[in-house]
Amino acid sequence: KAGVTQTPRYLIKTRGQQVTLSCSPISGHRSVSWYQQTPGQGLQFLFEYFSETQRNKGNFPGRFSGRQFSNSRSEMNVSTLELGDSALYLCASSLPRDSPTDTQYFGPGTRLTVL
Amino acid sequence: DAKTTQPTSMDCAEGRAANLPCNHSTISGNEYVYWYRQIHSQGPQYIIHGLKNNETNEMASLIITEDRKSSTLILPHATLRDTAVYYCIVRVANDLTGTASKLTFGTGTRLQVTL
């Protein structure tokens, strides 16, 4: 079974631009969570989507948003990019349809650099 | 979620067992212990989880003390590829409301496996 995939793997943007990152969960998984990892703050939870609804949200400004599609694929968007948004953005999927197991499995991440 | 405490770093000789401790003295009765590892700049990899019984899978063993206030992850025969940051996380089990979806990562233990 294929794992979690994220695209693109690397991205360079300039301040003020916006960016959209994509995540395809493991087949059959219904929940997608997003995390930001920076050297200073470590791994921090952004938000989680289940059945196209945001169920849980971390402490990030409104510039960070996301959505989930009916096929469970998810996108996150960051508007008005700041230098501090440079980070590794990780997506994790869980909750297969045939099991209540909510162990999260992570993708390889998207490395965003803001210049 | 309960807070965890892990040593900042550990060394292990290749071929020997790596024993990574984790303290979680405030763990609640419905909280599981999860272990992930992150190899440099990759997404975290799920290793194992448990509630109160010892667990073993193809990657590792998890030993949880009887009072559940601490646990040890054991890699029985460490190899150079096991060099990574290991995270111990305590969280409630499956919660379909989504409140359990957030994983809180600490700073983890940096395990260095050497020849």
Side-chain angles (χ1 to χ4, degrees), chain A residues 35 37 55-56 100 102 104, chain B residues 36 38 91 94 96 101 103:
Chain A
Y35 294 80
Q37 185 172 28
R55 296 195 304 178
N56 201 354
D102 65 344
Q104 294 186 20
Chain B
Y36 284 81
Q38 187 175 27
R91 62 184 291 242
N94 177 33
L96 290 179
S101 59
L103 295 181

Side-chain angles (χ1 to χ4, degrees), chain A residues 57-111:
Chain A
K57 188 178 188 304
N59 188 26
F60 279 82
R63 298 185 298 107
F64 293 82
S65 63
R67 60 177 175 170
Q68 186 181 36
F69 302 96
S70 58
N71 61 358
S72 294
R73 190 177 69 84
S74 177
E75 291 181 345
M76 69 162 283
N77 183 275
V78 187
S79 63
T80 319
L81 283 166
E82 301 177 359
L83 295 179
D85 297 332
S86 293
L88 180 66
Y89 289 88
L90 294 155
C91 164
S93 77
S94 63
L95 289 177
R97 294 186 185 280
D98 57 351
S99 167
T101 303
D102 65 344
T103 298
Q104 294 186 20
Y105 296 90
F106 285 80
T110 294
R111 172 74 61 185

Side-chain angles (χ1 to χ4, degrees), chain B residues 64-102:
Chain B
I64 302 174
T65 58
E66 193 168 341
D67 63 7
R68 303 207 324 120
K69 292 184 177 182
S70 66
S71 60
T72 300
L73 178 73
I74 300 172
L75 307 179
H77 306 286
T79 71
L80 297 178
R81 287 177 295 181
D82 292 321
T83 293
V85 177
Y86 287 76
Y87 296 97
C88 169
I89 298 167
V90 172
R91 62 184 291 242
V92 296
N94 177 33
D95 170 10
L96 290 179
T97 68
T99 55
S101 59
K102 170 186 173 183

Side-chain angles (χ1 to χ4, degrees), chain A residues 6 14 22 24 26 31 39 41 45-46 51 57 62-63 81 89 92-93 102 105 110:
Chain A
Q6 294 186 245
T14 56
S22 180
S24 292
I26 292 171
S31 168
Q41 299 298 318
F45 174 79
L46 279 157
S51 293
K57 188 178 188 304
R63 298 185 298 107
L81 283 166
Y89 289 88
S93 77
D102 65 344
Y105 296 90
T110 294

Side-chain angles (χ1 to χ4, degrees), chain B residues 3-71:
Chain B
K3 179 177 170 57
T4 62
T5 304
Q6 299 177 252
T8 302
S9 63
M10 295 182 64
D11 292 327
C12 179
E14 190 175 37
R16 305 298 293 267
N19 296 288
L20 292 91
C22 178
N23 285 316
H24 31 78
S25 58
T26 60
I27 192 169
S28 300
N30 64 343
E31 289 181 316
Y32 282 68
V33 179
Y34 275 76
W35 284 83
Y36 284 81
R37 73 180 182 184
Q38 187 175 27
I39 297 169
H40 183 63
S41 292
Q42 298 180 22
Q45 179 187 24
Y46 165 75
I47 301 173
I48 198 168
H49 74 281
L51 183 62
K52 50 185 170 183
N53 297 320
N54 297 338
E55 302 287 345
T56 295
N57 63 20
E58 65 278 4
M59 289 183 67
S61 294
L62 174 60
I63 308 297
I64 302 174
T65 58
E66 193 168 341
D67 63 7
R68 303 207 324 120
K69 292 184 177 182
S70 66
S71 60

